């Protein structure tokens, strides 16, 4: 006996047709299940770039999701509008008894879902939100005194201690697929009908959807065992590039965590620890939604950042005169991706060398990163800025030259994104300002003409940062 005769599954950041908590639950509880995705104008209208790569990524991914659902006997309706209005209206049109969705932990999403739940309840329909996006959510991993953790390592230990095989099991779909209802329409609006245009995803060879996630995973799984050794080299680019797929749910977190948990070796362990960082920051955002705007350590909101517009512009454009920072920022601008080590270096440089508020950098990354995720971006920015929970202590300030020499010793990565330095030798690539004018001429890079001189002196900037933090402690 089914609980509901007809239900609706609302897809959001979970664009796959397998191991999907909301779809699985809806299929178990209902005789007929419709599926919908909404291009939510409350989100889309905030995007400045009309060729936003994320919108195109979603567009291709839902196209593939629809094809997969059609194959299973259903299909995906696609709507455009304010989700908080579209969903209750569609639910009524279809005559469903319940709407199912996977839980989202961002403050705006929580508010939207509450509004949808209220509107549905007023019309006599149920709203069910399920855990899907993470292995452990909200208050599933708490301290002994039942408080949220604010330090990563004990959180990770408690997370691992709590984990059982059941937490990694997929939610069944295929065996219940006969309950999928064929929708009245599955028309996918063209990108330009949504107010957007194609981006450069194809040129960048970014693969979308479940198939793209599958390919990325297959490729990465072969080098998982070496992750602990290779992950810090931007030139080798040996990380998974699954961030965007985890962000939009084109891959299941349970599937990849299961693999990492059972795989032998340190590489898999270190990679699983990164997935736990992701859950840690989701938990932090859920329990402390104010971090979206404020320092986790509230007293550090008082720091008097200098916020020089010319410095910020130079950082955004990759023109600071520090090759590793500039290469990092150009990678972000040109590809929508930045290697994790470089994210740390670029973020530290903005805050602790240029004395610009971390939120400005956080917002810039939010606009550009294909894998942008509020919880992870905010958590990591606050880590780099020393304003967050379990953050880098304020007196540990990355030196962009030593970081560069350590993680890109030959300058292979730098030369890829800062081609004007291509002729520099290994000993000069991290510090082009040390070249004599005659040597600059010989390498075809005159500082101030072909490549900027450093916009700040690191040692002086460092001393200023220490003073700024000291007065706010
Ligand atoms: C300043 C800054 C901003 C960041 N912004 C984001 C962001 O917006 N979205 C995002 O997903 N990650 C962010 N990260 C974390 C990390 O840099 C990226 O997850 C990673 O580089 C993505 O590449 P990958 O998928 O190849 O990662 P892999 O190294 O293969 O890691 C696998 C997955 O683990 C998770 N992960 C890895 N490192 C972290 C971390 N430090 N914190 C949280 N999750 C992690 C991601 O989901 C990632 O896809 C940020 C880091 C910094 C320092």
């Amino acid at each position: 006996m089914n609980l509901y005769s007809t239900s609706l599954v609302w897809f959001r950041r979970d664009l796959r047709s397998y191991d999907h908590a909301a779809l699985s639950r809806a299929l178990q509880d209902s005789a007929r299940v419709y599926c919908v995705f909404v291009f939510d104008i409350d989100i889309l209208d905030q995007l400045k770039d009309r060729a936003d790569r994320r919108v195109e990524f979603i567009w291709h991914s839902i196209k593939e999701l629809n094809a997969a659902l059609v194959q299973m006997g259903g299909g995906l309706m696609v709507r455009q509008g304010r989700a908080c209005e579209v969903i209750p209206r569609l639910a009524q049109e279809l005559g469903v008894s319940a709407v199912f969705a996977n839980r989202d932990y961002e403050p705006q999403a929580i508010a939207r879902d509450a509004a949808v739940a209220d509107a549905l309840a007023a019309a006599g329909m149920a709203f069910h939100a399920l855990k899907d996006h993470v292995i452990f959510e909200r208050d599933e991993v708490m301290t002994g005194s039942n408080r949220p953790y604010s330090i990563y390592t004990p959180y990770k230990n408690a997370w691992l201690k709590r984990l059982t095989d059941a937490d990694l099991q997929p939610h069944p779909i295929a065996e219940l697929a006969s309950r999928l209802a064929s929708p009245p329409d599955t028309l996918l609006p063209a990108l330009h009908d949504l107010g957007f245009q194609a981006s450069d995803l194809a040129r960048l060879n970014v693969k979308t959807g479940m198939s793209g996630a599958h390919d990325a995973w297959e490729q990465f799984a072969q080098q998982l065992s070496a992750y602990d050794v290779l992950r810090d080299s931007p030139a080798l680019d040996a990380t998974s590039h699954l961030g965007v797929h985890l962000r939009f749910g084109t891959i299941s977190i349970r599937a990849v965590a299961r693999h990492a948990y059972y795989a032998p070796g340190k590489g898999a362990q270190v990679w699983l620890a990164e997935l736990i960082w992701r859950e840690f920051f989701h938990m932090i955002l859920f329990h402390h939604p104010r971090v979206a705007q404020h320092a986790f350590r509230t007293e550090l909101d008082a720091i008097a950042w200098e916020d020089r517009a010319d410095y910020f512009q130079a950082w955004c454009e990759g023109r600071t005169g520090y090759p590793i920072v500039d290469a990092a920022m150009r990678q972000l601008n040109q590809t929508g991706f930045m290697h994790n080590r470089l994210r740390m270096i670029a973020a530290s440089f903005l805050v602790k060398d240029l004395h610009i508020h971390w939120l400005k950098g956080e917002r810039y990354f939010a606009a550009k990163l294909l894998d942008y995720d509020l919880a992870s971006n905010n958590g990591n920015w606050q880590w780099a800025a020393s304003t967050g929970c379990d953050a880098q202590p304020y007196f540990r300030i990355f030196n962009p030259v030593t970081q560069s020499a350590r993680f890109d010793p030959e300058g292979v990565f730098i030369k890829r994104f800062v081609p004007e330095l291509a002729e520099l030798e290994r000993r000069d690539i991290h510090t082009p300002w040390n070249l004599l004018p005659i040597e600059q001429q010989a390498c075809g890079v005159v500082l101030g003409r072909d490549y900027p001189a450093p916009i700040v002196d690191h040692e002086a900037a460092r001393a200023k940062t220490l003073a700024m933090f000291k007065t706010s402690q």
Side-chain angles (χ1 to χ4, degrees):
M1 184 65 185
N2 295 121
L3 204 52
Y4 302 117
S5 58
T6 313
S7 297
L8 176 65
V9 175
W10 175 17
F11 285 78
R12 295 105 67 98
R13 49 186 301 175
D14 44 14
L15 306 178
R16 64 183 187 283
S17 57
Y18 68 95
D19 187 9
H20 188 287
L23 181 58
S24 181
R25 172 56 49 203
L27 290 169
Q28 287 171 56
D29 287 355
S30 325
R32 277 152 47 90
V33 174
Y34 288 104
C35 299
V36 66
F37 177 86
V38 182
F39 279 104
D40 190 343
I41 57 172
D42 283 342
I43 299 172
L44 296 187
D45 286 356
Q46 290 172 25
L47 300 175
K48 288 203 185 88
D49 184 357
R50 293 290 103 183
D52 194 298
R53 296 179 179 118
R54 279 87 50 106
V55 178
E56 193 187 351
F57 185 95
I58 292 171
W59 190 88
H60 287 295
S61 299
I62 61 171
K63 191 171 180 201
E64 189 183 279
L65 175 59
N66 175 51
L69 290 170
V70 167
Q71 188 91 39
M72 293 158 74
L76 187 70
M77 287 174 274
V78 180
R79 297 288 184 267
Q80 183 185 3
R82 299 190 67 216
C84 56
E85 294 165 3
V86 171
I87 291 295
R89 194 168 56 233
L90 179 65
Q92 280 207 309
E93 281 166 21
L94 295 169
V96 307
S97 314
V99 174
F100 291 77
N102 290 320
R103 209 169 276 130
D104 190 322
Y105 308 95
E106 297 187 3
Q108 282 184 2
I110 290 173
R112 175 201 60 200
D113 288 356
V116 168
D118 284 351
L120 291 171
M125 290 175 276
F127 181 67
H128 298 292
L130 290 102
K131 175 180 73 169
D132 178 87
H133 190 53
V134 288
I135 307 289
F136 294 125
E137 62 170 7
R138 305 194 293 184
D139 39 21
E140 287 187 321
V141 177
M142 301 287 266
T143 66
S145 51
N146 202 31
R147 297 180 59 77
Y149 280 96
S150 55
I151 308 282
Y152 167 74
T153 303
Y155 171 84
K156 180 182 97 172
N157 294 339
W159 190 103
L160 285 167
K161 198 166 164 206
R162 204 201 136 126
L163 189 72
T164 65
D165 192 60
D167 298 308
L168 302 172
Q169 288 308 311
H171 295 280
I173 304 285
E175 46 274 55
L176 300 159
S178 60
R179 296 179 176 185
L180 282 169
S182 183
D185 69 85
T186 57
L187 288 174
L188 174 62
L191 270 178
H192 70 260
D193 292 334
L194 298 165
F196 287 84
Q197 63 204 51
S199 69
D200 52 2
L201 282 188
R203 181 183 64 76
L204 293 168
N205 201 21
V206 172
K207 298 200 179 125
T208 56
M210 291 178 279
S211 59
H214 179 262
D215 289 355
W217 171 250
E218 289 281 291
Q219 198 180 330
F220 175 67
Q222 317 218 344
Q223 47 193 48
L224 176 62
S225 60
Y227 180 76
D228 54 321
V229 183
L230 305 180
R231 70 185 169 133
D232 262 326
S233 163
L236 292 180
D237 196 18
T239 66
S240 69
H241 285 250
L242 283 172
V244 61
H245 294 291
L246 289 166
R247 168 68 182 88
F248 293 115
T250 42
I251 201 159
S252 150
I253 181 65
R254 286 166 294 284
V256 294
R258 191 165 60 240
H259 188 104
Y261 184 65
Y262 289 114
K266 190 150 177 242
Q269 263 175 36
V270 173
W271 196 69
L272 181 64
E274 299 298 353
L275 299 181
I276 304 174
W277 268 111
R278 173 177 174 272
E279 307 227 338
F280 177 69
F281 286 133
H282 275 81
M283 180 275 298
I284 292 290
L285 179 64
F286 176 76
H287 285 287
H288 310 279
R290 64 178 170 79
V291 297
Q293 307 296 338
H294 296 283
F296 180 87
R297 293 178 52 202
T298 29
E299 71 278 15
L300 296 179
D301 271 342
I303 292 181
W305 303 105
E306 291 189 335
D307 285 343
R308 274 185 58 168
D310 54 341
Y311 283 0
F312 183 61
Q313 195 65 21
W315 178 83
C316 292
E317 292 173 5
R319 291 188 292 102
T320 67
Y322 284 89
I324 194 73
V325 175
D326 294 342
M329 295 306 295
R330 295 185 197 185
Q331 180 186 35
L332 175 64
N333 292 332
Q334 289 170 31
T335 71
F337 181 80
M338 190 194 290
H339 186 277
N340 179 60
R341 171 59 48 181
L342 302 178
R343 294 187 202 201
M344 293 195 277
I345 297 172
S348 175
F349 190 82
L350 183 81
V351 176
K352 293 180 178 172
D353 283 78
L354 302 183
H355 309 120
I356 290 174
H357 198 303
W358 59 269
L359 254 176
K360 284 206 167 151
E362 196 261 1
R363 288 296 87 202
Y364 190 75
F365 272 31
K368 296 281 173 182
L369 278 175
L370 188 55
D371 64 22
Y372 165 63
D373 178 279
L374 175 60
S376 295
N377 196 43
N378 181 282
N380 279 288
W381 267 95
Q382 295 224 38
W383 179 89
S386 302
T387 60
C389 57
D390 201 9
Q392 174 96 309
Y394 75 90
F395 48 82
R396 274 193 59 203
I397 296 178
F398 276 12
N399 180 321
V401 174
T402 49
Q403 287 284 317
S404 185
R406 184 160 166 214
F407 295 109
D408 190 26
E410 309 290 333
V412 172
F413 182 82
I414 291 174
K415 290 181 183 180
R416 208 176 284 161
F417 284 95
V418 189
E420 55 271 41
L421 301 181
E423 297 303 319
L424 266 63
E425 295 200 13
R426 177 192 168 118
R427 66 158 203 273
D428 302 316
I429 188 76
H430 312 289
T431 51
W433 55 86
N434 285 340
L435 289 169
L436 297 171
I438 190 167
E439 292 170 323
Q440 295 179 23
Q441 291 281 3
C443 299
V445 58
V446 173
L447 285 204
R449 187 192 72 189
D450 307 312
Y451 183 71
I455 56 173
V456 289
D457 171 69
H458 174 68
E459 284 311 321
R462 181 175 182 281
K464 195 186 237 176
T465 299
L466 293 176
M468 286 164 75
F469 270 87
K470 258 190 199 137
T471 50
S472 305
Q473 290 300 308

